[in-house]
């Protein structure tokens, strides 16, 4: 009726009328991955695990590679060149000449080498025994939790971190053979001296041993402190309850607990004594005479002062074999002690 009359009916409000087809959202079906066969899935898992394992063994070597490269370049290659030089008569600008074992025969038969071997053994034994005993005594004295002990430990550890050149200069001043010297002044208070120390062929080696003990004892002290911290305190309490004295507790509790530490320190101190060079070279340079000439100083003089590089290389190989033998002997002794 209203259409016939021409009147326009009002539109319904927006959103109240029936929605058009274009306005109705279409809902998509969720994507589903096609099923993978069981054999293919297991094969894919195995491949991924294999790749992961390949990368796992590679990661540690990536961290170790830089120091290994430096070790190879500065240790292994010079060692190989030293082995090669020990069989040649090295003549710069003239060409090397193969001599076989002649360098080893010359190095071991000359009297200077034999004397240097004995003096090296004396120096190694003296510094090893002295530094271990003094380091253990220092560790017993400074062990504890008191706050002031850190200052004592730091002061005692200073010789280890001090440059050997400075240490040698200080000890040369202290060993001054006149009455005005530091040590001779102290000896004069008790009516002894003056002593020549480094100027005497009979006292020079003992004086160098004293410097080695003074320098090595603080390092041994720190290792002993770490070992004493691992000793079970219940063992001390049990021993005290059983009526054991302090000496018995030291013999039956402390020393057995420190056996691995003592073994490691013995090995390190022995190797340090066999390879002594800097302190001897700076204090006496092998003198007076040949009284303090050790193997390292003799090798230096043969190679760089006398130009016998092949003989010096042979001597260094003999020293290398000696240090390896000491290391192997200590290792075997430690394994037997553990088995027992």
């Amino acid at each position: 009726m209203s259409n016939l009359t021409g009147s326009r009916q009002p539109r319904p409000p927006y959103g109240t009328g029936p929605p058009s087809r274009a306005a109705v959202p279409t809902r998509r079906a969720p994507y589903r991955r096609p099923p993978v066969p069981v054999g293919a899935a297991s094969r894919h898992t195995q491949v991924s695990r294999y790749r992961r394992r390949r990368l796992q063994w590679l990661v540690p070597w990536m961290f170790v590679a830089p120091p290994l490269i430096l070790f190879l370049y500065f240790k292994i290659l010079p060692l190989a060149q030293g082995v090669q030089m020990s069989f040649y008569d090295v003549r710069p600008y003239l060409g090397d000449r193969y001599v076989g074992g002649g360098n080893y025969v010359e190095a071991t038969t000359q009297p200077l080498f034999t004397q240097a071997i004995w003096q090296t053994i004396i120096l190694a034994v003296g510094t090893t025994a002295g530094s271990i005993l003094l380091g253990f005594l220092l560790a017993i004295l400074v062990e504890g939790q008191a706050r002031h002990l850190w200052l004592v430990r730091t002061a005692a550890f200073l010789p280890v971190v001090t440059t050997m050149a400075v240490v040698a200069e200080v000890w040369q001043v202290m060993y001054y053979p006149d009455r005005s010297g530091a040590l001779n002044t102290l000896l004069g208070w008790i009516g002894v001296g003056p002593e020549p120390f480094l100027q005497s062929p009979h006292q020079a080696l003992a004086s160098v041993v004293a410097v080695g003990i003074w320098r090595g004892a603080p390092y041994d002290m720190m290792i002993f402190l770490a070992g004493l911290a691992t000793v079970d305190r219940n063992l001390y309490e049990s021993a005290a309850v059983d009526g054991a004295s302090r000496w018995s507790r030291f013999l039956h509790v402390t020393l057995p607990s420190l056996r691995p530490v003592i073994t490691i320190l013995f090995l390190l101190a022995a190797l340090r004594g066999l390879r002594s060079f800097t302190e001897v070279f700076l204090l006496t340079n092998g003198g007076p005479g040949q009284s303090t000439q050790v193997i390292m100083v003799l090798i230096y003089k043969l190679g760089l002062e006398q130009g016998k590089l092949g003989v010096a290389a042979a001597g260094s190989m003999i020293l290398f074999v000696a240090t390896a033998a000491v290391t192997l002997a200590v290792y075997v002794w430690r394994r037997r002690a553990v088995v027992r």
Side-chain angles (χ1 to χ4, degrees):
M1 188 70 179
S2 58
N3 292 335
L4 294 176
T5 56
S7 61
R8 182 180 296 178
Q9 295 182 355
R11 293 182 178 181
Y14 180 76
T16 57
S20 61
R21 292 184 178 181
V24 177
T26 57
R27 181 178 298 176
R28 296 182 179 180
Y31 174 76
R32 294 181 179 179
R33 182 177 297 178
V36 181
V38 178
S42 61
R43 194 180 305 111
H44 177 72
T45 305
Q46 293 177 358
V47 171
S48 60
R49 289 179 179 176
Y50 176 72
R51 292 178 179 176
R52 194 179 300 114
R53 289 177 182 176
R54 291 181 60 185
L55 294 177
Q56 285 178 353
W57 75 264
L58 185 61
V59 170
W61 286 103
M62 293 176 61
F63 287 97
V64 181
L68 279 181
I69 293 174
L70 294 177
F71 184 80
L72 176 66
Y73 187 78
F74 290 103
K75 290 290 185 179
I76 303 301
L77 291 181
L79 178 61
Q81 292 179 355
V83 174
Q84 181 182 2
M85 288 174 58
S86 65
F87 295 100
Y88 285 86
D89 180 15
V90 181
R91 300 181 301 176
Y93 308 108
L94 297 176
D96 299 341
R97 183 179 60 185
Y98 180 77
V99 294
N103 291 330
Y104 290 92
V105 174
E106 182 180 355
T108 54
T109 55
Q110 58 178 333
L112 289 179
F113 191 83
T114 306
Q115 182 182 2
I117 289 177
W118 285 111
Q119 290 174 169
T120 303
I121 293 174
I122 294 172
L123 181 63
V125 172
T127 54
T128 300
S131 62
I132 289 179
L133 291 177
L134 183 58
F136 183 73
L137 292 177
L138 291 174
I140 294 296
L141 291 176
V142 301
E143 183 193 14
Q145 301 296 331
R147 294 183 178 181
H148 66 278
L149 289 178
W150 70 269
L151 181 60
V152 179
R153 294 170 185 168
T154 303
F157 194 72
L158 285 179
V160 180
V161 298
T162 307
T163 307
M164 191 59 211
V166 177
V167 172
E169 290 293 332
V170 172
W171 277 95
Q172 282 183 346
V173 173
M174 295 178 64
Y175 279 145
Y176 189 68
D178 193 65
R179 292 184 180 273
S180 59
L183 292 181
N184 279 324
T185 301
L186 296 177
L187 293 176
W189 293 350
I190 59 177
V192 180
E195 299 294 336
F197 295 114
L198 298 177
Q199 305 297 327
S200 172
H202 305 288
Q203 298 181 6
L205 186 59
S207 302
V208 176
V209 170
V211 177
I213 293 173
W214 177 82
R215 184 172 172 82
Y219 179 82
D220 297 346
M221 176 197 70
M222 299 304 295
I223 304 298
F224 274 122
L225 285 175
L228 290 173
T230 61
V231 179
D232 190 1
R233 301 300 171 182
N234 295 326
L235 297 177
Y236 290 113
E237 296 177 0
S238 301
V241 170
D242 293 338
S245 61
R246 291 186 177 181
W247 180 250
S248 298
R249 281 179 282 176
F250 173 76
L251 290 179
H252 301 288
V253 177
T254 306
L255 286 183
S257 301
L258 294 178
R259 183 177 299 172
V261 177
I262 295 174
T263 304
I264 294 174
L265 285 178
F266 176 80
L267 177 61
L268 294 177
L271 296 180
R272 187 169 61 237
L274 289 174
R275 297 180 299 175
S276 297
F277 171 76
T278 309
E279 56 269 27
V280 179
F281 181 77
L282 294 176
L283 288 172
T284 63
N285 194 19
Q290 309 294 336
S291 59
T292 60
Q293 186 161 265
V294 293
I295 295 181
M296 290 290 292
V297 176
L298 179 60
I299 290 172
Y300 170 82
K301 290 184 177 180
L302 288 174
L304 299 181
E305 292 184 1
Q306 302 179 17
K308 298 180 179 180
L309 296 176
V311 181
S316 64
M317 291 301 105
I318 294 174
L319 180 61
F320 172 76
V321 172
T323 54
V326 171
T327 305
L328 183 61
V330 173
Y331 175 77
V332 172
W333 175 76
R334 183 181 179 185
R335 289 291 300 271
R336 289 183 178 179
V338 171
V339 170
R340 291 178 183 176

